[in-house]
């Protein structure tokens, strides 16, 4: 983990707060506890102001329980670990998109597993945010290098568009197929790439965009054959538009 993760503890019993804080600080020195609150009302205001990345949240508290506290927040942009003495709330906790649920008295192994899971989720989220910011910055800058910017889990790849064979929508993600027969998987959907590719690309199917310079054959039964002999479906509605490109 390259930087500190900020965390808040919310529990109506001070002994529970102190005990959990001591465990977290011992097991995870890189986690910075920036606040601890016994009163849920104060915690709600603090979360909005401090914007912690991780919250350790009790469920049974006077006036406002843990679930009601989350409902009072407009935006849940942090990870939640419920810490409670009551096992019967587990299902509801996960319906609230909690990263984990641990029971009191807190077992060090369970705490470690829960926090490691939260750290992984936070780091993945941070990478996606960074990629998105970089992509917006690059997109706002005029370039003439005709490169396709592909956000991946490892960062950003800059691919010359003439090296792209075709772009495929795949289960909500996008596969970029390159002329060396390698592929890149991006978390962006096909629609975002459709907006940025050059006029050399043609959307032949709801799940496929082809590089027209890489098309070698048109098959009447409804396929485009690329230079690597891969057959890409072309929808009936797009056949006419494709053929008109060559008239």
């Amino acid at each position: 983990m390259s930087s500190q993760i900020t965390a808040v503890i919310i529990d109506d019993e001070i002994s529970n707060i102190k005990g959990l804080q001591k465990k977290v600080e011992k097991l995870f020195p890189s986690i910075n506890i920036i606040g601890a609150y016994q009163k849920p009302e104060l915690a709600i205001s603090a979360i909005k102001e401090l914007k912690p990345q991780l919250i350790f949240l009790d469920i049974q508290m006077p006036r406002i329980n843990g679930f009601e506290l989350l409902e009072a927040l407009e935006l849940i942009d942090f990870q939640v670990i419920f810490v409670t003495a009551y096992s019967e709330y587990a299902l509801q906790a996960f319906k609230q998109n909690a990263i984990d649920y641990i029971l009191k008295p807190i077992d060090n192994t369970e705490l470690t597993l829960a926090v490691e899971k939260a750290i992984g989720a936070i780091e993945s989220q941070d990478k996606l945010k960074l990629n998105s910011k970089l992509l917006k910055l690059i997109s706002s800058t005029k370039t003439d290098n005709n490169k396709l910017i592909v956000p991946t889990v490892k960062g950003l790849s800059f691919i010359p568009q003439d090296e792209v064979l075709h772009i495929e929508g795949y289960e909500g993600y996008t596969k970029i197929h390159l002329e060396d027969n390698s592929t890149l998987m991006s978390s962006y959907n096909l629609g975002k790439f459709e907006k940025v590719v050059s006029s050399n690309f043609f959307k032949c199917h709801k799940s496929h965009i082809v590089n027209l310079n890489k098309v070698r054959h048109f098959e009447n039964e409804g396929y485009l054959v690329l230079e690597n002999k891969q057959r890409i479906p072309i929808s009936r509605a797009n056949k006419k538009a494709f053929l008109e490109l060559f008239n």
Side-chain angles (χ1 to χ4, degrees):
M1 188 169 54
S2 57
S3 60
Q4 280 201 327
I5 284 177
T6 56
V8 162
I9 299 174
I10 305 166
D11 195 303
D12 62 311
E13 295 186 22
I14 189 63
S15 60
N16 289 337
I17 289 176
K18 289 181 177 179
L20 178 56
Q21 184 166 355
K22 186 176 180 180
K23 285 178 179 289
V24 172
E25 289 174 348
K26 181 179 179 180
L27 295 170
F28 295 93
S30 56
I31 289 183
N32 181 21
I33 306 293
I34 58 174
Y37 304 92
Q38 288 180 261
K39 295 182 178 180
E41 301 90 340
L42 294 178
I44 291 170
S45 299
I47 290 168
K48 292 178 180 178
E49 181 181 349
L50 299 175
K51 302 185 186 306
Q53 295 165 288
L54 173 61
I55 290 181
F56 296 94
L57 181 59
D58 189 17
I59 294 178
Q60 283 282 27
M61 296 182 289
R63 297 178 302 281
I64 300 175
N65 67 36
F67 301 126
E68 292 168 338
L69 183 148
L70 293 178
E71 290 172 0
L73 296 166
E74 296 175 2
L75 179 64
I76 307 297
D77 57 352
F78 48 80
Q79 298 300 319
V80 178
I81 296 176
F82 280 108
V83 185
T84 179
Y86 303 94
S87 61
E88 63 266 28
Y89 293 114
L91 180 59
Q92 189 175 353
F94 287 115
K95 284 183 178 179
Q96 291 272 8
N97 294 321
I99 194 72
D100 216 332
Y101 180 99
I102 55 180
L103 292 172
K104 301 173 184 175
I106 298 170
D107 176 78
N108 282 356
T109 300
E110 289 186 6
L111 177 61
T112 298
L113 291 173
V115 173
E116 286 178 346
K117 193 187 299 184
I119 289 172
I122 291 166
E123 290 181 341
S124 295
Q125 194 173 42
D126 286 347
K127 286 178 183 177
L128 289 175
K129 287 179 180 178
L130 177 61
N131 285 349
S132 180
K133 287 179 181 178
L134 286 172
L135 189 58
K136 286 180 181 178
L137 177 63
I138 294 167
S139 298
S140 65
T141 304
K142 291 184 178 180
T143 60
D144 57 0
N145 57 15
N146 200 33
K147 288 188 176 181
L148 189 65
I149 304 167
V150 183
T152 69
V153 293
K154 294 182 178 180
L156 296 176
S157 293
F158 301 85
I159 308 298
Q161 293 198 30
D162 59 7
E163 293 181 7
V164 177
L165 288 173
H166 87 285
I167 305 171
E168 176 187 7
Y170 181 78
E171 296 181 356
Y173 295 85
T174 301
K175 272 186 180 181
I176 312 296
H177 296 258
L178 304 178
E179 62 183 1
D180 63 0
N181 290 322
S182 64
T183 60
L184 287 174
M185 182 72 80
S186 176
S187 59
Y188 276 43
N189 62 36
L190 189 67
K192 291 199 176 185
F193 288 102
E194 185 180 2
K195 295 176 183 178
V196 297
V197 291
S198 72
S199 58
N200 289 330
F201 286 79
F202 175 76
K203 189 172 185 180
C204 60
H205 184 276
K206 66 179 181 180
S207 299
H208 295 277
I209 300 171
V210 296
N211 185 340
L212 292 171
N213 292 331
K214 308 297 181 179
V215 176
R216 293 296 175 262
H217 301 283
F218 166 76
E219 297 181 346
N220 289 328
E221 61 264 35
Y223 288 92
L224 301 177
V225 182
L226 305 183
E227 63 181 23
N228 68 343
K229 299 183 180 179
Q230 189 173 7
R231 299 169 79 232
I232 308 299
I234 180 169
S235 68
R236 184 177 300 176
N238 290 329
K239 278 185 183 180
K240 183 178 179 182
F242 173 80
L243 294 174
E244 286 177 350
L245 291 172
F246 302 94
N247 285 340

